[in-house]
Structures are given as C-alpha cells and as structure tokens.
Amino acid sequence: MFTRRVAVVGTGYVGLTTGACLASLGHQVVCADIDTAKVERLRRGVVDIVEPGLAELVTEQVSAGRLSFVVGAANAVSEGFPGESGSGELDAEIVFLCLPTPMGVGGVADLRAVEAVVEETRELLAAGTVVVNKSTVPVGTAGRTAELLDRADVSVVSNPEFLREGSAVHDFLNPDRIVVGCDTAEAAERVAALYARLGAPTVLTDAASAELMKYAANCFLAMKLSYVNAMAELCERVGADIGDVTEGIGYDRRIGQAFLSPGPGWGGSCLPKDTHALLQVADAADFEFRLLRATIDTNTRQRQRIVDKVRHAVTGRRTGSLTRVRLGLLGLTFKAGTDDLRDSPALAIAALLRQAGADLVGYDPALVPDPSNPDKIAADEVDGVPLVSDPMEAAQGAEALVVLTEWPVFRTLDWVAIAGAMKQPIVVDTRNLLDPATLRRAGLTGIGLGRREA
Ligand code: UGA
C-alpha cells in the first residue's frame, strides 16, 4: 500500500484523531503541539479528551511505530521522520494544520494560530510539500495561507473535517464524504489518496468551495435543529407531539431521521462559532442571510424558553419567582459523550436561572473524578454552578430537576428514590430523554419539549 509521511500540527480532537486515524490507514505520522506537557502525556498514551477509542488507537499506532509526538511544528515538518538509518532525517510530504480558529471580534474567525504556524514553518518545508488546512476557516484562507507561505513550490489544500466530538474516530474512519479543495489538481489528488482505503465518495473542488462547504454543512445542521425546536414549541401550542412529527417527516429520505431531536438549543465549539462566522462572511459580501440570522435567533430564544418552562413548572405561573428556588441540573456538557463545556446550552441556561435568583447544583457524568485517568482533575464548580458527584445529591431538596444533556445513564436512574429526595416532584426534560411513564410511576411530573403531556 502507498504510504505518506504526514505531519499534523495541533493535537486537539481534530488533530489527534486525524493523526491516529491516518496512522491506522498505514501512513507515517508525526503530530506536533506547542504544549510540552501534553506531548509528554501523549507519548505515554494519555489522552486528555473524552473520545471513545482514541486513547486505544493512539497507543496502538505508537507501538506500531507509525505515530509519534514532538513539541513544535518545526520539528514535525522538517526531519521528523525516520530515514533508512532509523533516525529522524526525512521531511513531511503532507502537513495538516489542525489548529484552533476561535470566534474573534464580531464573530470573525481568529486565524492567529494558523498564521503563527505558517510563519514558523514556511522556510522549512521541502519542495513539493502539500499544506492541508483542516481547521474551519473563512473562505479565502487557503489563498491567504499560500500568500503567507510565499512558496511557489508548496501547494495549499482545504480538506475540511466533518467529524463529531464523541464519535470522532468512528466518523473519521466512516466518512460520508471526503472533500478536497485546491486550485492544483495534482495536490488535491495527493491528499484524496491518503483516504483511498476508506472508499468514501470524494468531492474534488476549488479551495473556496471546500472552505464554504464546511460552513454550509454546519449551518444547515444548526438550521435543522432550530427548525425542530421551533416545531416543538408549535406542537405544544396545537396539542401535537414532536416525537411523532419528526419520526413521520424523517422517513422522507430527503429529510432523514438524523439531527431531529429537540433540545435546549445547539451548542459546542463548532455550530455557534460557524453560524456567526458565516453570517460575517455574508455581511462582508453584502448579502442579508435572513435564514441564518433566524436560525441563530431561534437558538438564543430557546434558552429563555427553557427558563420560562422551568419557572412555570415550579411556580405554576408564567411570571413566578425563582428566587432561592433550589434546582438540580442533570448534564452540563454541550451534548452527551463528551466532557466539552464550550458554548454549552446547559451553562447558558444555568446562567439565566442564576440571574433569575435560583440556587443551582449540577451533576454531569463527565465531570466527576475518573479513576482510569488520575491526571484529570475533577472541578468542584463550573461557571458558578457547584458540582456534586451523584444525581441523588442534585435531587436532594430540589424543587425541580432539569435534564440538559442527553446522557443515556439518566434513563435508568432510581427515579423512585429521586422523587423521595425532592421538595417538589418535577422533572423538566429538555432532551425528551426520559420515559414519561417511568417518571409518572415514580410519582414525578415529567415535562418535556413539544410533548402531548407537556
Ligand atoms: C458538529 C458537526 O456535527 C460535525 O459534522 C462537524 O465536523 C463539527 O461540528 C465540527 O465542525 O468540527 P459537534 O460540534 O461535535 O459536531 O456536535 P453535534 O453532534 O453536531 O451537536 C451540536 C449540537 O446540536 C449539540 O449541542 C447537540 O446537543 C445538538 N443536537 C444535535 C440537538 O440538539 N439535537 C440533535 O438531534 C442533534
């Protein structure tokens, strides 16, 4: 099989997954990070992020001699690969940039990390190297990167990643499609060939289209969710059930069953950042993207809607006071299967509840001490919400429990015991996760989103 020498700069969840998975496809991979302590942990096989299968894959590929870690991009791109003598003497053929592109001023993506790495490595790249941007970057960044590199003998390719946190390894190895954008066909084909074994449909296009495709996908997903959340609200008003409605529309293959669960609003490190960034792109292009603006506004409103639901459930009135009302929050991460709290709707709702005077206590299975990872320190509070290590503690004396993240473990809690510990037997289930009949049998009033019984 044809293998390449691949440098991956940045070992966040995209970079580390890319490095470990490309190694598992047979390529020789060197991953670089600026964080020395993190590199040392990775060399020992310690992966800080919660990502199923990733730590095992890293350990396996390191043992197989296909994956290694270095400090600094320069050490990965230049002479980071073993030659015939076995020592580091060969340069990278392909360099992946998997760097953070946080939301900067006014929603514009902040490209400083990408620019710094380009500056650090531009003179070290061997002739013929392909630089691949995997980070989500504004349209035009491949062109801008090429300008900064100022190397006619180096190509810049956009190869956006579509993996989800919490199933990154699975998504990488089972992609719906591979997108490679470059104005030089030869470089695009070289990058596409890295994934040949996966047998996925491949879209070869220009760099700008590839860059836009990533935003187009995430913004479409956000729009789908805002639509479902709005539809759930309409269901409540007309006495319909959102679960039945989404099941019914999901059988239409043009719509599909995936990504139709109502919730407390979409969050995480990608959808909020990318919707704002695309709005900026549209504004800069003098295009009033009303649909996207409404998608974002609907999501912001969803948080207040949850607060209003809790207020009504606890006080029986739309304007009732939440001052000193004790509430237990179940789930604080932005979705289940991750320990990521970035732009978590749960935390945004917690902030609104606190502003309304409520006393909060939170439980999240990803935020309790992990015996398998002693390097990880469990926090005792998040954004001012004190954390407890057991859902029963969250229920103790609470006037309502609010389920904010769809952790499957919540389904099988001892709801009878929980009902006994609460001051008022109310559960506001913002993920429609729990079985209403189970709650009822436990003596609890379950309030979901867009459900007939709500
Ligand atoms: C998202 C995209 O799904 C990936 O394809 C993309 O590669 C990634 O962003 C990225 O740009 O890197 P991720 O941020 O991991 O992945 O999260 P999702 O699984 O998409 O969930 C986003 C939000 O939507 C979460 O808050 C989640 O709880 C919410 N959601 C998702 C719902 O409320 N209902 C659903 O049915 C699905």
Side-chain angles (χ1 to χ4, degrees), residues 17-73:
T17 306
T18 301
C21 290
L22 285 177
S24 79
L25 294 178
H27 302 290
Q28 192 69 38
V29 180
V30 177
C31 289
D33 205 285
I34 44 169
D35 181 340
T36 309
K38 187 176 183 188
V39 167
E40 271 160 21
R41 285 198 296 280
L42 286 168
R43 285 178 178 154
R44 284 189 278 127
V46 178
V47 172
D48 296 334
I49 40 181
V50 172
E51 199 58 68
L54 186 55
E56 293 81 348
L57 195 64
V58 167
T59 307
E60 184 189 298
Q61 296 306 316
V62 169
S63 311
R66 282 189 290 267
L67 178 64
S68 58
F69 297 95
V70 295
V71 178

Side-chain angles (χ1 to χ4, degrees), residues 13 162-163 165 214 218 225 259 261 267 270 334-335 431:
Y13 90 102
F162 299 99
L163 50 82
E165 285 188 37
K214 173 62 193 256
N218 274 357
L225 293 177
F259 244 71
S261 303
C270 305
F334 83 94
K335 65 174 183 178
R431 297 279 186 171

Side-chain angles (χ1 to χ4, degrees), residues 49-173:
I49 40 181
V50 172
E51 199 58 68
L54 186 55
E56 293 81 348
L57 195 64
V58 167
T59 307
E60 184 189 298
Q61 296 306 316
V62 169
S63 311
R66 282 189 290 267
L67 178 64
S68 58
F69 297 95
V70 295
V71 178
N75 290 321
V77 305
S78 170
E79 299 181 0
F81 295 81
E84 274 174 18
S85 68
S87 60
E89 53 196 49
L90 297 176
D91 299 327
E93 297 169 282
I94 300 183
V95 177
F96 277 88
L97 303 182
C98 301
L99 296 158
T101 54
M103 193 167 4
V105 182
V108 183
D110 177 348
L111 293 178
R112 276 177 298 180
V114 173
E115 286 164 2
V117 168
V118 167
E119 186 56 39
E120 181 188 346
T121 56
R122 57 178 291 276
E123 286 178 2
L124 300 171
L125 299 171
T129 306
V130 179
V131 172
V132 186
N133 216 331
K134 246 200 180 331
S135 319
T136 306
V137 288
V139 181
T141 301
R144 172 93 187 105
T145 308
E147 265 171 40
L148 287 170
L149 276 170
D150 194 22
R151 290 273 307 262
D153 56 350
V154 170
S155 310
V156 180
V157 167
S158 166
N159 171 218
E161 187 48 69
F162 299 99
L163 50 82
R164 293 161 299 171
E165 285 188 37
S167 51
V169 172
H170 173 271
D171 289 354
F172 192 100
L173 296 174

Side-chain angles (χ1 to χ4, degrees), residues 37-327:
K38 187 176 183 188
V39 167
E40 271 160 21
R41 285 198 296 280
L42 286 168
R43 285 178 178 154
R44 284 189 278 127
V46 178
V47 172
D48 296 334
I49 40 181
V50 172
E51 199 58 68
L54 186 55
E56 293 81 348
L57 195 64
V58 167
T59 307
E60 184 189 298
Q61 296 306 316
V62 169
S63 311
R66 282 189 290 267
L67 178 64
S68 58
F69 297 95
V70 295
V71 178
N75 290 321
V77 305
S78 170
E79 299 181 0
F81 295 81
E84 274 174 18
S85 68
S87 60
E89 53 196 49
L90 297 176
D91 299 327
E93 297 169 282
I94 300 183
V95 177
F96 277 88
L97 303 182
C98 301
L99 296 158
T101 54
M103 193 167 4
V105 182
V108 183
D110 177 348
L111 293 178
R112 276 177 298 180
V114 173
E115 286 164 2
V117 168
V118 167
E119 186 56 39
E120 181 188 346
T121 56
R122 57 178 291 276
E123 286 178 2
L124 300 171
L125 299 171
T129 306
V130 179
V131 172
V132 186
N133 216 331
K134 246 200 180 331
S135 319
T136 306
V137 288
V139 181
T141 301
R144 172 93 187 105
T145 308
E147 265 171 40
L148 287 170
L149 276 170
D150 194 22
R151 290 273 307 262
D153 56 350
V154 170
S155 310
V156 180
V157 167
S158 166
N159 171 218
E161 187 48 69
F162 299 99
L163 50 82
R164 293 161 299 171
E165 285 188 37
S167 51
V169 172
H170 173 271
D171 289 354
F172 192 100
L173 296 174
N174 301 277
D176 289 336
R177 75 304 209 180
I178 301 291
V179 173
V180 186
C182 184
D183 303 327
T184 323
E186 196 269 327
E189 277 157 20
R190 192 130 53 106
V191 173
L194 290 174
Y195 303 95
R197 270 184 60 188
L198 298 176
T202 302
V203 181
L204 293 181
T205 180
D206 59 274
S209 301
E211 287 165 343
L212 188 59
M213 217 178 288
K214 173 62 193 256
Y215 287 104
N218 274 357
C219 293
F220 188 87
L221 292 171
M223 186 182 70
K224 200 172 179 190
L225 293 177
S226 280
Y227 180 82
V228 166
N229 285 333
M231 196 54 77
E233 186 169 353
L234 185 58
C235 282
E236 285 172 19
R237 289 173 190 234
V238 301
D241 186 274
I242 189 68
D244 293 349
V245 171
T246 51
E247 186 190 354
I249 63 171
Y251 285 121
D252 185 328
R253 272 169 296 186
R254 294 168 303 173
I255 296 173
Q257 296 282 357
F259 244 71
L260 285 181
S261 303
W266 37 270
S269 66
C270 305
L271 266 46
K273 166 173 80 73
D274 294 350
T275 42
H276 282 96
L278 190 61
L279 207 51
Q280 283 295 322
V281 171
D283 281 351
D286 206 16
F287 173 59
E288 175 59 50
F289 204 153
R290 290 207 175 90
L291 188 57
L292 185 55
R293 201 176 287 282
T295 297
I296 296 171
D297 291 346
T298 303
N299 199 47
T300 308
R301 188 172 167 273
Q302 184 70 359
R303 296 160 179 190
Q304 188 57 51
R305 186 168 114 74
I306 302 295
V307 173
D308 293 345
K309 225 175 210 308
V310 172
R311 186 192 301 280
H312 188 248
V314 171
T315 67
R317 286 180 296 126
R318 297 206 180 280
T319 54
S321 167
L322 287 176
T323 304
R324 281 192 290 284
V325 167
R326 183 180 162 90
L327 300 170

